[in-house]
Amino acid sequence: MTYYIRADQFFYPYEIKKGGFLEIVDGKFGEWTEEIPTSAEVLDYSGKSIAPGLVETHIHGFGGADAQDAEIEGIMGTMSEGLLSAGVTSFLPSPLTDDHEGLKAVCSVVGEHYQEARGAKIRGIFFEGPFFTEEHKGAQNPKYMRDAKMWELEDWQNAAHGMLKKVGLAPEREGSEEFIRKATESGVIIALGHSNATYKQAVAGVQAGATMWIHTFNGMSGMTHQEPGMVGAILNTPNTYAELICDGHHVRPEAAEIVMKMRGADHVVLITDSMRAAGLPDGPYMLGEYEVEVRDGAAWLPTGRPAASILTLKTAVKNVVDWGIATPAQAIMMASLTPAKSVNIDDVCGQIKTGLDADFIVLDSEMNLVATYLDGKKRFG
């Protein structure tokens, strides 16, 4: 089946095509064209914009489900389908720090059932832990934090059938550099965070092969004139990707703007880090083994510090535009192509490109989500 989409603009990877029509052929993106056959079927989104489906590379839960639960229905059903309402068409379910068997259970569920996802497509797994430092544990249990060992990674990857794409790590832990080298050689992306590393230790992690930074500013050593720390390393290491939680609570807009100016939209990854309460009413919820209170647009620990967020990716995109720190094109890139490139899945998602699955979203003039499409079929809106 072939049809054409009419819209005011189409967000391509490095340009905005104004007007015209986008061809959809058997659930795949076709060509953009100015003219179409008179008999062609047209989906009319005049006054709207078409963008690639958003790519979520760091998300714990949504709609009451959590990756940590290692439940087929929760991940393949509740999370996967619920994320369509956030404009997300591809994601990496992300468990927190846990013991070996707990994380292996997540690997087994995702590795064996990821193709059963009923909504947003599962493109891999991200482990936010357990190789972190207790000084910046955040809302994670320090009793499970430990030095990185390749035998663990290999066992998890075997259970995941190769779907473990990205692993977090504190570079100051013993043996980290050797682990980073071996892990990256095996094809796993290493992200640095939840760390009290010095600038020198952080840069050494990058030189060993790490290419990502977990939620910039949050859970890491800050920057001073005497010790630039993790934040300084993020701002000063080219060809690495910096995650940002742009909910207005985890990071001030001004701080996010600095990172975007220093790194550019092609190296900033918008994430949500959202927990199971995302998409649900305020109240008490469990984040891993910790109780948090959801109110005022965030999840809070009893200490008064923000924990994992309840942000949606469509809201992060709108926020950075509304804050005046990114153009619509930059915002879309930071939530689609850049995250896809950061974990090497841009060959299957994250951009409007001939031959790729027609996973896309429709936006109004104020960057509000109007509809979400999977394989050329409307699934939300």
Side-chain angles (χ1 to χ4, degrees), residues 118-271:
R118 300 198 298 268
K121 298 167 183 177
I122 296 175
R123 304 294 190 180
I125 306 168
F126 166 44
F127 274 7
E128 192 189 5
F131 308 132
F132 291 150
T133 184
E134 291 82 354
E135 290 95 333
H136 288 283
K137 64 182 183 294
Q140 303 203 36
N141 195 330
K143 77 177 184 180
Y144 298 123
M145 293 180 180
R146 53 197 185 268
D147 295 336
K149 303 294 183 183
M150 276 302 295
W151 73 264
E152 284 204 276
L153 178 61
E154 290 166 354
D155 195 40
W156 290 328
Q157 191 68 287
N158 183 59
H161 300 284
M163 289 291 285
L164 184 53
K165 298 285 188 182
K166 174 180 162 189
V167 172
L169 180 147
E172 72 271 28
R173 293 202 73 110
E174 185 177 349
S176 291
E177 288 182 42
E178 181 182 4
F179 176 85
I180 293 171
R181 281 192 289 269
K182 290 182 178 179
T184 53
E185 286 173 2
S186 75
V188 174
I189 302 296
I190 296 297
L192 305 181
H194 284 278
S195 165
N196 201 38
T198 63
Y199 177 85
K200 183 177 180 180
Q201 289 170 325
V203 171
V206 172
Q207 291 174 338
T211 54
M212 294 203 70
W213 307 94
I214 300 171
H215 43 52
T216 302
F217 296 115
N218 302 122
M220 61 178 59
S221 51
M223 178 180 180
T224 72
H225 65 296
Q226 294 290 350
E227 174 48 68
M230 290 279 283
V231 172
I234 291 171
L235 299 176
N236 205 33
T237 49
N239 303 316
T240 58
Y241 295 91
E243 294 182 348
L244 275 175
I245 307 172
C246 288
D247 61 355
H249 297 286
H250 284 78
V251 178
R252 289 281 305 171
E254 298 86 351
E257 183 178 22
I258 291 170
V259 177
M260 291 176 189
K261 284 182 175 179
M262 292 292 293
R263 303 314 314 275
D266 58 343
H267 283 88
V268 172
V269 175
L270 295 183
I271 62 161

Side-chain angles (χ1 to χ4, degrees), residues 257 260 265 317 319-332 334:
E257 183 178 22
M260 291 176 189
V317 168
N319 281 347
V320 297
V321 174
D322 289 349
W323 295 341
I325 63 175
T327 66
Q330 289 170 335
I332 292 298
M334 291 186 290

Side-chain angles (χ1 to χ4, degrees), residues 59-67 69 78-79 273-288 292-295 297-300 308-312:
I59 178 169
H60 302 291
F62 191 93
D66 194 291
D69 299 336
T78 304
M79 282 186 70
D273 192 21
S274 65
M275 57 168 291
R276 70 174 73 245
L280 297 178
D282 289 358
Y285 292 90
M286 294 303 295
L287 174 62
V292 296
E293 182 75 21
V294 172
R295 54 179 166 77
W300 305 88
S309 82
I310 56 168
L311 180 67
T312 61

Side-chain angles (χ1 to χ4, degrees), residues 75-109:
I75 300 173
M76 311 305 154
T78 304
M79 282 186 70
S80 175
E81 291 184 306
L83 284 172
L84 296 175
S85 68
V88 174
T89 56
S90 293
F91 74 110
L92 270 61
S94 313
L96 296 165
T97 286
D98 201 350
D99 62 21
H100 183 82
E101 292 303 317
L103 291 172
K104 187 174 180 178
V106 178
C107 287
S108 296
V109 167

